[in-house]
Amino acid sequence: MLRLEGLRAGYGPVTVLQDVSLEVNAGEVVTIVGGNGAGKTTTLRAICGLIKPQGGRITVDGRDTSRLAPPEIVDLGITMIPEGRQLFPFMTVRENLMLGGFKPAARARIPERLEEVLTLFPRVRERMTQLAGSLSGGEQQMVAIARGMMANPRLLMFDEPSLGLAPLIVKQVFQIIDTVVASGTTVLIVEQNIVHTLQIATRGYVLENGRVAMSGPGPELLRDPHVKRAYLGV
Amino acid sequence: MDILIQLIANGVLLGGVFALISIGLTLIFGIVRVVNFAHGELLMVGLYATWLLSAKLGIHPYLAAVPLAIAFFFLGALMQRAIIQPLMNADPHIQIFATVGIGTALANGALMIFSADLRSVDVPWARQATDLFGLASVSRGNLVAFAVSGIATTGLILFLRRTHLGRAIRAVAQNRYAAPLMGIDVNRIYAITFGIGAGCVGLAAAVLAPLYPAFPTVGSFFVLTAFVVVVLGGMGSLEGAVIGALIIGLVESLAGYYVAPDLKEVVYFLIFLGILIVRPAGLFGVRGAE
Ligand SMILES: Nc1ncnc2c1ncn2[C@@H]1O[C@H](COP(=O)(O)OP(=O)(O)OP(=O)(O)O)[C@@H](O)[C@H]1O
Ligand SMILES: [Mg+2]
């Protein structure tokens, strides 16, 4: 479905991603592992069209999407749940969710989709009329995920969904992700908490200094001595 | 008739006029984060356009209101696309130069084409006075302007709250990074917002033409008040701008009578400063809350 070939990208004159190649096929759960500043977020931003590649190719179903703007990527069925939640703070939770279904294809089905999504998030349902900015961190993350799902994407990308959350909430977030995966949505996930994501990942990529240093089935990477040493501290 | 009630009626109606001019400016500032210093000159162009339509083609100003609003929508959107968009990531000073430059060019263009003479649209019906419940007497033209202002501001607030496009416009103001991830074309929203702001001015020009003559610098006559209203209301809050406009209208009317006509601006600037000392973000201001 999604393929990056020799992607080079960065900010202005700075190149962060030197050479990133990876692929995500329909129905897979793919994860990107890497230390702080390795370029994980940058990779997701390039896929979304938020930054333009300096070189290499990004293709979706064989079509080059390197030059497309973010709304066009959303129209192709690719949605990112950004790092740090990034809600619309002075709008209600309901308005945030409706914006998740802004693209024309999703707009027609907002009421049904809202119902489907809210069954996964009972806590969010209780907060529908509250301003998003006044929610707790865990609630905000739930809204951010629910908002992303409102677009009914084929590929849902998570950037650090468990960042800054209490262990109990982290568990809930991973349960939600498992549900998303079980529903057949393809998932590309970036997570510090690599034990859980590598266990469920069809394939993982280890990103170091803007390059893919290693890749393989998730559970296999989890047993790899280098991964263990560098990312699990054992 | 009680003079106080008459003054209040005049003040509220004047406030309505200010509101209609200020909401466009507020919207553009709140969403696009650009101060449109050419706003007053757009009003001037609108007043001349209404005068031309009326004097040369015999079209009644009120009939011209909606077509003019639509034409100004496209004019505003075009102005954003051609001049403001390339400067969106530039230094705010450069944006100020650009909009001041547009304003100056328009004012001087008008001076060249129309000279400095006053051009009035004569609508006798609008000049006639009408009785407000036996309490005050106001001109019909003023009542029409007030009603149009009320409808336009209410409509705009409902549009922003209730429609997909309106929500998208607010989303861009609240989180420019996340909005494109929802599939919102941010640059298109900027152009539409500029268009709506200019459209309000086109509408204002048509209903104000029977009350105020057109001349090249008429824009600055209104726009200073509009800026006061925008800041008073809380930089980007439409509701705040409406309340701010009514306050300024009332102050002008009351101070013009009880203090001195020449001092009314002094009085409202004092109130303006007073409110900003108590509420630095303006009456309804919460940063980014529009
Ligand atoms: N907007 C930006 N402008 C300039 N440089 C940036 C920008 N965003 C990120 N960078 C730089 O790009 C590099 C990679 O950042 P990126 O956010 O992709 O890392 P990451 O792998 O997501 O890290 P983390 O785990 O901390 O989220 C870093 O060195 C960072 O400083
Ligand atoms: Mg990151």
Side-chain angles (χ1 to χ4, degrees):
Chain A
M1 180 194 292
L2 171 72
R3 183 191 284 272
L4 311 187
E5 290 163 87
L7 177 68
R8 258 166 43 89
Y11 303 91
V14 183
T15 300
V16 174
L17 304 179
Q18 304 292 344
D19 176 12
V20 175
S21 299
L22 59 81
E23 61 177 329
V24 182
N25 300 308
E28 284 186 325
V29 180
V30 173
T31 183
I32 303 175
V33 175
N36 292 119
K40 305 178 298 291
T41 298
T42 306
T43 307
L44 298 190
R45 284 191 186 145
I47 296 169
C48 285
L50 286 172
I51 56 174
K52 298 286 164 253
Q54 297 165 345
R57 261 159 60 89
I58 304 174
T59 55
V60 174
D61 301 328
R63 175 182 169 203
D64 191 330
T65 62
S66 319
R67 302 280 142 223
L68 297 189
E72 296 169 297
I73 303 291
V74 175
D75 280 338
L76 287 176
I78 297 178
T79 291
M80 170 162 83
I81 298 164
E83 192 175 2
R85 338 210 204 284
Q86 303 286 349
L87 300 179
F88 302 106
F90 298 103
M91 284 196 232
T92 63
V93 169
R94 175 182 293 279
E95 288 182 304
N96 270 273
L97 296 183
M98 291 183 79
L99 279 163
F102 180 77
K103 67 169 185 169
R107 216 179 286 176
R109 288 193 65 250
I110 283 182
E112 298 93 312
R113 188 67 187 157
L114 199 57
E115 207 41 52
E116 288 166 26
V117 170
L118 286 178
T119 48
L120 291 179
F121 300 92
R123 282 281 286 280
V124 173
R125 195 193 285 277
E126 291 165 20
R127 298 267 181 272
M128 290 297 272
T129 56
Q130 199 171 325
L131 292 187
S134 68
L135 299 173
S136 74
E139 289 166 347
Q140 290 197 11
Q141 186 60 58
M142 297 296 179
V143 174
I145 297 175
R147 185 182 65 177
M149 292 174 70
M150 283 299 294
N152 201 6
R154 293 189 296 153
L155 170 62
L156 192 54
M157 303 194 289
F158 293 82
D159 195 356
E160 313 265 12
S162 77
L163 196 70
L165 302 181
L168 192 68
I169 311 288
V170 171
K171 223 178 122 196
Q172 286 175 15
V173 167
F174 283 131
Q175 275 166 6
I176 297 283
I177 293 170
D178 292 347
T179 318
V180 172
V181 169
S183 74
T185 308
T186 311
V187 166
L188 175 58
I189 181 165
V190 167
E191 207 6 273
Q192 298 275 344
N193 198 327
I194 65 169
V195 176
H196 184 93
T197 44
L198 280 177
Q199 268 165 4
I200 61 168
T202 336
R203 201 167 43 263
Y205 294 87
V206 178
L207 206 59
E208 282 170 5
N209 301 318
R211 289 192 160 77
V212 175
M214 207 189 290
S215 68
E220 217 166 88
L221 282 182
L222 204 50
R223 289 192 296 271
D224 183 274
H226 172 72
V227 171
K228 273 185 174 168
R229 210 174 331 109
Y231 302 104
L232 292 172
V234 291
Chain B
M1 254 181 292
D2 191 351
I3 184 71
L4 181 63
I5 294 178
Q6 177 66 48
L7 289 172
I8 290 175
N10 292 350
V12 168
L13 291 186
L14 187 62
V17 170
F18 289 153
L20 189 54
I21 297 168
S22 307
I23 47 170
L25 195 62
T26 297
L27 189 71
I28 291 172
F29 179 76
I31 311 296
V32 192
R33 298 274 160 202
V34 166
V35 181
N36 181 19
F37 285 99
H39 202 70
E41 279 68 32
L42 282 179
L43 181 72
M44 179 271 298
V45 171
L47 287 171
Y48 274 113
T50 313
W51 172 73
L52 282 174
L53 289 172
S54 163
K56 306 289 172 195
L57 300 174
I59 296 170
H60 194 287
Y62 294 160
L63 281 181
V66 171
L68 211 56
I70 295 171
F72 267 60
F73 171 88
F74 287 107
L75 187 69
L78 188 72
M79 182 171 138
Q80 197 280 335
R81 268 281 144 91
I83 302 169
I84 310 294
Q85 184 62 42
L87 303 175
M88 277 310 289
N89 294 319
D91 191 86
H93 290 105
I94 303 200
Q95 297 170 358
I96 292 173
F97 284 134
T99 60
V100 169
I102 297 169
T104 313
L106 289 174
N108 285 296
L111 189 62
M112 269 168 58
I113 299 169
F114 300 106
S115 81
D117 296 345
L118 303 188
R119 311 284 178 175
S120 308
V121 177
D122 191 30
V123 184
W125 180 87
R127 269 190 280 109
Q128 277 170 33
T130 187
D131 203 55
L132 277 185
F133 316 111
L135 293 170
S137 166
V138 295
S139 84
R140 289 174 178 167
N142 259 319
L143 275 182
V144 169
F146 185 79
V148 167
S149 171
I151 293 168
T153 42
T154 312
L156 193 55
I157 289 170
L158 287 178
F159 163 75
L160 289 173
R161 280 187 196 278
R162 301 277 170 84
T163 67
H164 287 286
L165 184 57
R167 259 192 300 277
I169 289 175
R170 284 188 294 141
V172 168
Q174 292 183 20
N175 194 333
R176 284 192 193 198
Y177 174 71
L181 299 175
M182 308 295 113
I184 297 169
D185 183 341
V186 174
N187 291 339
R188 191 166 151 261
I189 294 290
Y190 289 152
I192 290 173
T193 305
F194 240 84
I196 295 174
C200 290
V201 172
L203 190 64
V207 295
L208 294 183
L211 305 170
Y212 299 93
F215 53 95
T217 54
V218 64
S220 49
F221 174 76
F222 283 105
V223 86
L224 183 62
T225 311
F227 277 116
V228 170
V229 165
V230 170
V231 176
L232 195 59
M235 309 287 262
S237 157
L238 291 186
E239 292 88 341
V242 172
I243 306 278
L246 291 175
I247 291 176
I248 296 296
L250 279 171
V251 170
E252 269 218 41
S253 167
L254 294 173
Y257 182 82
Y258 289 113
V259 184
D262 294 343
L263 290 179
K264 61 187 186 191
E265 266 105 9
V266 176
V267 175
Y268 84 60
F269 271 109
L270 283 178
I271 292 186
F272 173 64
L273 290 175
I275 291 180
L276 288 192
I277 288 168
V278 183
R279 286 192 61 94
L283 288 172
F284 285 69
V286 183
R287 242 192 102 61
E290 54 286 328

Short mmCIF file of all heavy atoms in Angstrom, two decimals, chain A residues 45 48 50 70-71 74 80 82 86-91 95 98-100 102-103 107 110 147, chain B residues 161 164-165 167-168 170-172 174-175 177-185 286-289:
data_model
loop_
_atom_site.label_atom_id
_atom_site.label_comp_id
_atom_site.label_asym_id
_atom_site.label_seq_id
_atom_site.Cartn_x
_atom_site.Cartn_y
_atom_site.Cartn_z
N ARG A 45 5.78 12.75 8.94
CA ARG A 45 5.42 14.05 8.34
C ARG A 45 5.61 14.03 6.83
O ARG A 45 4.81 14.62 6.09
CB ARG A 45 6.28 15.16 8.93
CG ARG A 45 5.85 15.57 10.31
CD ARG A 45 6.55 16.86 10.71
NE ARG A 45 6.23 17.16 12.10
CZ ARG A 45 7.07 17.72 12.95
NH1 ARG A 45 8.27 18.07 12.56
NH2 ARG A 45 6.70 17.96 14.18
N CYS A 48 2.75 12.25 5.23
CA CYS A 48 1.53 13.08 5.25
C CYS A 48 1.57 14.25 4.29
O CYS A 48 0.57 14.94 4.12
CB CYS A 48 1.35 13.72 6.63
SG CYS A 48 0.80 12.59 7.83
N LEU A 50 3.35 16.92 4.94
CA LEU A 50 3.62 18.14 5.70
C LEU A 50 5.00 18.70 5.37
O LEU A 50 5.23 19.89 5.47
CB LEU A 50 3.54 17.86 7.21
CG LEU A 50 2.13 17.67 7.77
CD1 LEU A 50 2.19 17.20 9.22
CD2 LEU A 50 1.33 18.96 7.69
N PRO A 70 -1.07 17.82 2.18
CA PRO A 70 -1.69 17.00 3.21
C PRO A 70 -3.16 16.62 2.95
O PRO A 70 -3.52 15.46 3.16
CB PRO A 70 -1.53 17.85 4.48
CG PRO A 70 -0.32 18.67 4.22
CD PRO A 70 -0.31 18.95 2.75
N PRO A 71 -4.01 17.56 2.51
CA PRO A 71 -5.41 17.17 2.32
C PRO A 71 -5.56 16.07 1.26
O PRO A 71 -6.44 15.21 1.38
CB PRO A 71 -6.09 18.46 1.84
CG PRO A 71 -5.23 19.55 2.34
CD PRO A 71 -3.83 19.01 2.30
N VAL A 74 -4.80 12.81 2.90
CA VAL A 74 -5.96 12.39 3.70
C VAL A 74 -7.01 11.77 2.78
O VAL A 74 -7.61 10.74 3.09
CB VAL A 74 -6.55 13.59 4.48
CG1 VAL A 74 -7.83 13.17 5.21
CG2 VAL A 74 -5.53 14.12 5.48
N MET A 80 -2.86 10.71 10.02
CA MET A 80 -1.88 10.65 11.10
C MET A 80 -2.49 11.20 12.39
O MET A 80 -3.15 12.23 12.37
CB MET A 80 -0.63 11.46 10.77
CG MET A 80 0.31 11.61 11.97
SD MET A 80 1.99 12.10 11.58
CE MET A 80 1.83 13.86 11.43
N PRO A 82 -1.16 12.90 15.39
CA PRO A 82 0.17 13.49 15.63
C PRO A 82 0.65 13.34 17.06
O PRO A 82 -0.14 13.13 17.98
CB PRO A 82 -0.04 14.96 15.28
CG PRO A 82 -1.49 15.21 15.47
CD PRO A 82 -2.20 13.92 15.19
N GLN A 86 -2.40 17.45 19.71
CA GLN A 86 -2.76 18.49 18.74
C GLN A 86 -4.26 18.60 18.49
O GLN A 86 -4.72 18.60 17.36
CB GLN A 86 -2.05 18.24 17.40
CG GLN A 86 -0.55 18.17 17.48
CD GLN A 86 0.10 19.53 17.69
OE1 GLN A 86 -0.56 20.56 17.58
NE2 GLN A 86 1.36 19.54 18.01
N LEU A 87 -5.03 18.72 19.58
CA LEU A 87 -6.47 18.93 19.42
C LEU A 87 -6.74 20.41 19.12
O LEU A 87 -5.83 21.24 19.16
CB LEU A 87 -7.20 18.51 20.69
CG LEU A 87 -7.02 17.04 21.09
CD1 LEU A 87 -7.78 16.75 22.38
CD2 LEU A 87 -7.48 16.10 19.98
N PHE A 88 -8.01 20.72 18.84
CA PHE A 88 -8.43 22.10 18.69
C PHE A 88 -8.99 22.52 20.06
O PHE A 88 -10.11 22.17 20.42
CB PHE A 88 -9.46 22.23 17.58
CG PHE A 88 -8.92 21.72 16.27
CD1 PHE A 88 -9.33 20.51 15.75
CD2 PHE A 88 -7.94 22.43 15.59
CE1 PHE A 88 -8.80 20.03 14.56
CE2 PHE A 88 -7.40 21.96 14.41
CZ PHE A 88 -7.83 20.76 13.90
N PRO A 89 -8.18 23.24 20.86
CA PRO A 89 -8.45 23.35 22.29
C PRO A 89 -9.74 24.08 22.66
O PRO A 89 -10.34 23.75 23.66
CB PRO A 89 -7.22 24.12 22.82
CG PRO A 89 -6.67 24.83 21.63
CD PRO A 89 -6.96 23.94 20.45
N PHE A 90 -10.15 25.06 21.83
CA PHE A 90 -11.33 25.84 22.20
C PHE A 90 -12.59 25.32 21.51
O PHE A 90 -13.59 26.02 21.44
CB PHE A 90 -11.11 27.32 21.90
CG PHE A 90 -9.97 27.90 22.67
CD1 PHE A 90 -8.75 28.13 22.06
CD2 PHE A 90 -10.11 28.20 24.02
CE1 PHE A 90 -7.68 28.65 22.78
CE2 PHE A 90 -9.05 28.72 24.74
CZ PHE A 90 -7.84 28.95 24.12
N MET A 91 -12.51 24.12 21.00
CA MET A 91 -13.71 23.50 20.44
C MET A 91 -14.10 22.32 21.31
O MET A 91 -13.26 21.73 22.00
CB MET A 91 -13.45 23.03 19.01
CG MET A 91 -13.45 24.18 18.04
SD MET A 91 -13.61 23.55 16.38
CE MET A 91 -12.23 24.38 15.65
N GLU A 95 -16.98 18.71 18.29
CA GLU A 95 -16.49 19.45 17.13
C GLU A 95 -15.15 18.91 16.65
O GLU A 95 -14.89 18.82 15.45
CB GLU A 95 -16.36 20.94 17.46
CG GLU A 95 -17.70 21.64 17.60
CD GLU A 95 -17.56 23.13 17.88
OE1 GLU A 95 -16.88 23.48 18.88
OE2 GLU A 95 -18.11 23.92 17.13
N MET A 98 -15.91 15.84 14.72
CA MET A 98 -16.50 16.14 13.41
C MET A 98 -15.43 16.61 12.43
O MET A 98 -15.48 16.30 11.24
CB MET A 98 -17.60 17.19 13.56
CG MET A 98 -18.80 16.61 14.29
SD MET A 98 -20.15 17.77 14.40
CE MET A 98 -20.83 17.62 12.77
N LEU A 99 -14.44 17.36 12.94
CA LEU A 99 -13.36 17.80 12.06
C LEU A 99 -12.54 16.62 11.57
O LEU A 99 -12.00 16.64 10.47
CB LEU A 99 -12.47 18.81 12.78
CG LEU A 99 -13.04 20.23 12.78
CD1 LEU A 99 -12.38 21.08 13.84
CD2 LEU A 99 -12.87 20.86 11.40
N GLY A 100 -12.47 15.58 12.39
CA GLY A 100 -11.78 14.36 11.94
C GLY A 100 -12.43 13.79 10.69
O GLY A 100 -11.76 13.17 9.86
N PHE A 102 -13.74 15.55 8.27
CA PHE A 102 -13.94 16.71 7.39
C PHE A 102 -13.87 16.37 5.92
O PHE A 102 -14.57 16.94 5.10
CB PHE A 102 -12.89 17.79 7.71
CG PHE A 102 -13.02 19.03 6.86
CD1 PHE A 102 -14.00 19.97 7.11
CD2 PHE A 102 -12.16 19.24 5.78
CE1 PHE A 102 -14.13 21.10 6.33
CE2 PHE A 102 -12.28 20.37 4.99
CZ PHE A 102 -13.27 21.31 5.26
N LYS A 103 -13.01 15.41 5.54
CA LYS A 103 -12.85 15.15 4.10
C LYS A 103 -14.19 14.68 3.51
O LYS A 103 -14.96 13.99 4.18
CB LYS A 103 -11.73 14.13 3.86
CG LYS A 103 -12.05 12.74 4.35
CD LYS A 103 -11.03 11.74 3.84
CE LYS A 103 -11.45 10.34 4.26
NZ LYS A 103 -10.71 9.27 3.63
N ARG A 107 -17.50 12.92 5.35
CA ARG A 107 -18.47 13.87 5.87
C ARG A 107 -19.90 13.32 5.81
O ARG A 107 -20.69 13.51 6.72
CB ARG A 107 -18.39 15.16 5.06
CG ARG A 107 -18.61 16.38 5.89
CD ARG A 107 -18.50 17.62 5.06
NE ARG A 107 -17.13 17.95 4.70
CZ ARG A 107 -16.80 18.97 3.91
NH1 ARG A 107 -17.75 19.73 3.38
NH2 ARG A 107 -15.54 19.21 3.62
N ILE A 110 -20.77 11.00 8.87
CA ILE A 110 -20.34 11.39 10.21
C ILE A 110 -21.19 10.78 11.34
O ILE A 110 -20.63 10.20 12.27
CB ILE A 110 -20.23 12.93 10.34
CG1 ILE A 110 -18.95 13.40 9.66
CG2 ILE A 110 -20.21 13.37 11.80
CD1 ILE A 110 -18.68 14.88 9.76
N ARG A 147 -10.53 11.04 16.84
CA ARG A 147 -10.61 12.01 15.74
C ARG A 147 -9.96 11.46 14.49
O ARG A 147 -10.48 11.61 13.39
CB ARG A 147 -9.92 13.32 16.18
CG ARG A 147 -10.03 14.44 15.17
CD ARG A 147 -9.30 15.68 15.63
NE ARG A 147 -7.84 15.45 15.72
CZ ARG A 147 -6.96 16.39 16.04
NH1 ARG A 147 -7.37 17.61 16.33
NH2 ARG A 147 -5.68 16.11 16.09
N ARG B 161 -20.05 28.48 13.59
CA ARG B 161 -20.32 27.46 14.61
C ARG B 161 -20.91 26.18 14.06
O ARG B 161 -20.65 25.10 14.57
CB ARG B 161 -21.32 28.01 15.63
CG ARG B 161 -20.67 28.88 16.63
CD ARG B 161 -21.62 29.29 17.74
NE ARG B 161 -20.99 30.41 18.41
CZ ARG B 161 -20.05 30.28 19.33
NH1 ARG B 161 -19.72 29.11 19.75
NH2 ARG B 161 -19.48 31.34 19.85
N HIS B 164 -19.57 22.81 8.35
CA HIS B 164 -18.27 22.15 8.23
C HIS B 164 -17.19 23.17 7.87
O HIS B 164 -16.09 23.16 8.44
CB HIS B 164 -18.33 21.06 7.15
CG HIS B 164 -19.09 19.87 7.60
ND1 HIS B 164 -18.59 18.96 8.50
CD2 HIS B 164 -20.33 19.43 7.28
CE1 HIS B 164 -19.48 18.02 8.72
NE2 HIS B 164 -20.56 18.27 7.99
N LEU B 165 -17.51 24.05 6.91
CA LEU B 165 -16.52 25.04 6.49
C LEU B 165 -16.21 25.99 7.64
O LEU B 165 -15.05 26.33 7.89
CB LEU B 165 -17.04 25.80 5.26
CG LEU B 165 -16.07 26.79 4.64
CD1 LEU B 165 -14.76 26.11 4.25
CD2 LEU B 165 -16.70 27.45 3.41
N ARG B 167 -16.40 25.42 10.85
CA ARG B 167 -15.56 24.72 11.84
C ARG B 167 -14.12 24.64 11.34
O ARG B 167 -13.18 24.82 12.11
CB ARG B 167 -16.09 23.31 12.08
CG ARG B 167 -16.91 23.15 13.36
CD ARG B 167 -17.13 21.68 13.67
NE ARG B 167 -17.86 21.02 12.60
CZ ARG B 167 -19.18 21.04 12.49
NH1 ARG B 167 -19.90 21.68 13.36
NH2 ARG B 167 -19.78 20.44 11.48
N ALA B 168 -13.99 24.38 10.05
CA ALA B 168 -12.63 24.29 9.48
C ALA B 168 -11.91 25.62 9.62
O ALA B 168 -10.71 25.67 9.92
CB ALA B 168 -12.70 23.85 8.02
N ARG B 170 -12.38 27.86 11.97
CA ARG B 170 -11.95 28.02 13.37
C ARG B 170 -10.79 27.07 13.68
O ARG B 170 -9.90 27.41 14.46
CB ARG B 170 -13.13 27.75 14.31
CG ARG B 170 -14.11 28.92 14.35
CD ARG B 170 -15.15 28.70 15.43
NE ARG B 170 -15.97 27.56 15.12
CZ ARG B 170 -16.40 26.68 16.02
NH1 ARG B 170 -16.07 26.81 17.28
NH2 ARG B 170 -17.16 25.68 15.65
N ALA B 171 -10.83 25.88 13.09
CA ALA B 171 -9.77 24.91 13.33
C ALA B 171 -8.42 25.47 12.90
O ALA B 171 -7.41 25.32 13.60
CB ALA B 171 -10.05 23.61 12.60
N VAL B 172 -8.39 26.16 11.77
CA VAL B 172 -7.14 26.74 11.28
C VAL B 172 -6.61 27.76 12.28
O VAL B 172 -5.41 27.84 12.55
CB VAL B 172 -7.34 27.37 9.89
CG1 VAL B 172 -6.15 28.22 9.49
CG2 VAL B 172 -7.59 26.28 8.86
N GLN B 174 -7.13 27.77 15.51
CA GLN B 174 -6.76 27.17 16.80
C GLN B 174 -5.55 26.25 16.73
O GLN B 174 -4.86 26.06 17.72
CB GLN B 174 -7.95 26.41 17.38
CG GLN B 174 -9.06 27.35 17.77
CD GLN B 174 -10.23 26.64 18.42
OE1 GLN B 174 -10.10 25.53 18.91
NE2 GLN B 174 -11.37 27.30 18.42
N ASN B 175 -5.33 25.64 15.59
CA ASN B 175 -4.18 24.75 15.47
C ASN B 175 -3.79 24.61 14.00
O ASN B 175 -4.29 23.74 13.29
CB ASN B 175 -4.49 23.38 16.09
CG ASN B 175 -3.23 22.55 16.29
OD1 ASN B 175 -2.25 22.73 15.57
ND2 ASN B 175 -3.26 21.66 17.24
N TYR B 177 -1.14 23.53 12.74
CA TYR B 177 -0.39 22.32 12.42
C TYR B 177 -1.35 21.15 12.20
O TYR B 177 -1.17 20.36 11.28
CB TYR B 177 0.59 22.02 13.56
CG TYR B 177 1.31 20.71 13.42
CD1 TYR B 177 2.27 20.54 12.43
CD2 TYR B 177 1.00 19.64 14.24
CE1 TYR B 177 2.92 19.33 12.28
CE2 TYR B 177 1.65 18.43 14.09
CZ TYR B 177 2.60 18.28 13.11
OH TYR B 177 3.25 17.08 12.96
N ALA B 178 -2.38 21.06 13.07
CA ALA B 178 -3.27 19.90 12.98
C ALA B 178 -4.30 20.03 11.87
O ALA B 178 -4.76 19.03 11.34
CB ALA B 178 -3.97 19.68 14.32
N ALA B 179 -4.68 21.27 11.52
CA ALA B 179 -5.77 21.44 10.54
C ALA B 179 -5.53 20.68 9.23
O ALA B 179 -6.43 19.98 8.76
CB ALA B 179 -6.01 22.92 10.29
N PRO B 180 -4.33 20.77 8.63
CA PRO B 180 -4.14 20.02 7.37
C PRO B 180 -4.27 18.52 7.54
O PRO B 180 -4.65 17.82 6.60
CB PRO B 180 -2.73 20.41 6.91
CG PRO B 180 -2.09 21.13 8.04
CD PRO B 180 -3.17 21.62 8.94
N LEU B 181 -3.98 18.02 8.76
CA LEU B 181 -4.09 16.58 8.99
C LEU B 181 -5.55 16.11 8.97
O LEU B 181 -5.82 14.92 8.85
CB LEU B 181 -3.45 16.20 10.33
CG LEU B 181 -1.96 16.51 10.46
CD1 LEU B 181 -1.47 16.20 11.86
CD2 LEU B 181 -1.17 15.73 9.43
N MET B 182 -6.48 17.07 9.10
CA MET B 182 -7.91 16.73 8.99
C MET B 182 -8.36 16.76 7.53
O MET B 182 -9.53 16.55 7.24
CB MET B 182 -8.76 17.74 9.78
CG MET B 182 -8.36 17.97 11.21
SD MET B 182 -8.57 16.51 12.21
CE MET B 182 -6.85 16.16 12.58
N GLY B 183 -7.43 17.12 6.64
CA GLY B 183 -7.82 17.26 5.24
C GLY B 183 -8.25 18.68 4.90
O GLY B 183 -8.87 18.91 3.87
N ILE B 184 -7.95 19.63 5.78
CA ILE B 184 -8.31 21.02 5.53
C ILE B 184 -7.20 21.69 4.73
O ILE B 184 -6.04 21.61 5.11
CB ILE B 184 -8.52 21.77 6.86
CG1 ILE B 184 -9.70 21.15 7.65
CG2 ILE B 184 -8.76 23.26 6.63
CD1 ILE B 184 -9.81 21.64 9.07
N ASP B 185 -7.57 22.33 3.62
CA ASP B 185 -6.60 23.07 2.82
C ASP B 185 -6.45 24.46 3.44
O ASP B 185 -7.28 25.35 3.24
CB ASP B 185 -7.12 23.15 1.38
CG ASP B 185 -6.12 23.85 0.45
OD1 ASP B 185 -5.23 24.56 0.96
OD2 ASP B 185 -6.25 23.67 -0.77
N VAL B 286 -9.52 35.47 24.59
CA VAL B 286 -8.71 34.37 25.10
C VAL B 286 -7.84 34.06 23.90
O VAL B 286 -8.35 33.90 22.80
CB VAL B 286 -9.55 33.13 25.42
CG1 VAL B 286 -8.66 32.04 26.00
CG2 VAL B 286 -10.68 33.46 26.37
N ARG B 287 -6.56 34.05 24.07
CA ARG B 287 -5.70 33.89 22.90
C ARG B 287 -6.05 32.65 22.09
O ARG B 287 -6.08 31.56 22.61
CB ARG B 287 -4.24 33.84 23.32
CG ARG B 287 -3.46 35.01 22.72
CD ARG B 287 -1.97 34.84 22.86
NE ARG B 287 -1.37 34.40 21.61
CZ ARG B 287 -1.40 35.08 20.48
NH1 ARG B 287 -2.05 36.20 20.40
NH2 ARG B 287 -0.82 34.61 19.40
N GLY B 288 -6.37 32.86 20.82
CA GLY B 288 -6.65 31.73 19.95
C GLY B 288 -8.05 31.15 20.11
O GLY B 288 -8.37 30.14 19.52
N ALA B 289 -8.92 31.80 20.90
CA ALA B 289 -10.20 31.18 21.25
C ALA B 289 -11.29 31.39 20.20
O ALA B 289 -12.39 30.94 20.39
CB ALA B 289 -10.68 31.71 22.59
#
